[in-house]
Amino acid sequence: MIVIQSTEQLTGVRISGDFWDLDELINAIYKITGDENKYYDYQGPRLRILSVCYKLRHAALGEHQLDFVNNGLNKNVLTQHELIFPNKNVYFATEILWPEIIFSAIALNDFIDLHQQLNDSSMWDYDIAIIRKFQAAIADCLEQEMNEEDYEVFLKMLHAKNPLTFRYATQYVDVLNLEYLQLDKEERKAHLAAFAVRFMIEDHDYAALKAQLMDAAITTKQPLHNIQIQLKYPEEILW
């Protein structure tokens, strides 16, 4: 199964699972988000989700981290079945920054709604169930890092806003990623809830950034999500 845990420095989350767990999740994400021409007003969020998917795919290829997880086999079982077999399975893992994974979890709600509307899919849709389980694991991890009151406020705002990421200026995710990286561990713990809520309220900083991006998009005749901003991530991230 997919396991999501906060990293040691609260920089982000560590997502791990066996090859088939990750492959199943990746395929479900691709199916739910559709091709690049399907949901034009959601292209920014779609590309953002696919950037997370890209890291998951490379993790599944063994290019990031490996974990060894007990598989439940013990000496009695091995003796009974006359097997020689390791008692641990290999899990593939990668890290995602907290603002990035929160935004991805939020944006997936919109794509689930769009997928259901376009395909008239059943409430038992298999791919949606996989995505919901992934979102639930992120939410559970987030809840552990927030106090109860802050988490309830975040959920209420999440449920009240619809759609969540229509024509969203996803460059703001980079802004929040870099702001969050500048904090120390204690500050991250204290302010993680505020970072989550900022995706809901579209505050003055977001509005100002989007206005600048819209002007650039009009001038260059490019889509909003293609406008680049001058931000630089550190070469190494202490997770």
Side-chain angles (χ1 to χ4, degrees):
M1 67 176 186
I2 298 292
V3 177
I4 300 181
Q5 299 172 311
S6 282
T7 59
E8 184 177 350
Q9 298 300 318
L10 289 185
T11 312
V13 296
R14 182 180 178 88
I15 304 173
S16 62
D18 68 22
F19 175 85
W20 301 111
D21 293 328
L22 295 178
D23 187 66
E24 181 180 62
L25 174 60
I26 290 163
N27 288 329
I29 290 173
Y30 277 123
K31 188 168 182 180
I32 294 297
T33 55
D35 64 44
E36 63 181 351
N37 299 315
K38 203 167 190 178
Y39 309 119
Y40 182 79
D41 289 320
Y42 293 87
Q43 279 306 300
R46 176 182 176 273
L47 291 173
R48 207 82 210 192
I49 293 169
L50 292 184
S51 71
V52 171
C53 211
Y54 177 84
K55 292 198 71 174
L56 294 175
R57 183 166 293 283
H58 280 266
L61 295 174
E63 296 178 9
H64 294 183
Q65 293 85 37
L66 299 180
D67 293 335
F68 297 92
V69 181
N70 286 328
N71 58 20
L73 288 177
N74 56 46
K75 186 176 180 180
N76 290 337
V77 173
L78 294 173
T79 300
Q80 179 183 351
H81 293 277
E82 298 181 347
L83 290 174
I84 298 175
F85 200 84
N87 61 4
K88 292 187 177 181
N89 290 343
V90 175
Y91 269 32
F92 303 92
T94 192
E95 291 105 351
I96 308 290
L97 293 170
W98 258 122
E100 188 82 44
I101 200 63
I102 291 171
F103 178 80
S104 296
I106 290 169
L108 280 167
N109 277 343
D110 282 338
F111 285 98
I112 289 172
D113 288 345
L114 292 166
H115 179 78
Q116 288 176 319
Q117 293 167 18
L118 187 66
N119 300 283
D120 193 25
S121 58
S122 163
M123 67 175 68
W124 290 345
D125 183 286
Y126 188 74
D127 294 301
I128 291 176
I130 293 167
I131 300 297
R132 287 299 191 202
K133 189 174 182 180
F134 178 57
Q135 290 175 298
I138 295 169
D140 183 64
C141 187
L142 181 62
E143 184 179 11
Q144 294 177 38
E145 303 301 341
M146 294 167 62
N147 65 52
E148 184 177 350
E149 182 179 351
D150 287 341
Y151 186 69
E152 288 180 0
V153 168
F154 171 70
L155 289 183
K156 286 178 181 177
M157 296 180 74
L158 184 64
H159 294 152
K161 187 180 179 188
N162 186 49
L164 292 157
T165 60
F166 177 75
R167 295 180 181 174
Y168 196 86
T170 51
Q171 295 87 339
Y172 192 58
V173 182
D174 290 308
V175 172
L176 294 191
N177 280 341
L178 292 173
E179 281 188 25
Y180 188 75
L181 278 171
Q182 292 173 3
L183 305 179
D184 61 31
K185 182 177 180 179
E186 290 71 26
E187 290 172 326
R188 289 170 184 168
K189 182 73 174 178
H191 298 292
L192 181 58
F195 275 80
V197 167
R198 285 170 74 180
F199 287 122
M200 300 288 101
I201 60 176
E202 300 184 8
D203 60 11
H204 173 75
D205 290 341
Y206 172 81
L209 175 64
K210 186 170 182 178
Q212 293 175 4
L213 293 170
M214 289 294 293
D215 288 343
I218 292 169
T219 301
T220 62
K221 295 181 172 56
Q222 294 186 65
L224 179 66
H225 61 269
N226 281 348
I227 303 300
Q228 302 294 315
I229 58 176
Q230 297 300 314
L231 293 175
K232 186 177 181 181
Y233 282 82
E235 292 184 7
E236 292 187 13
I237 294 175
L238 181 61
W239 293 97

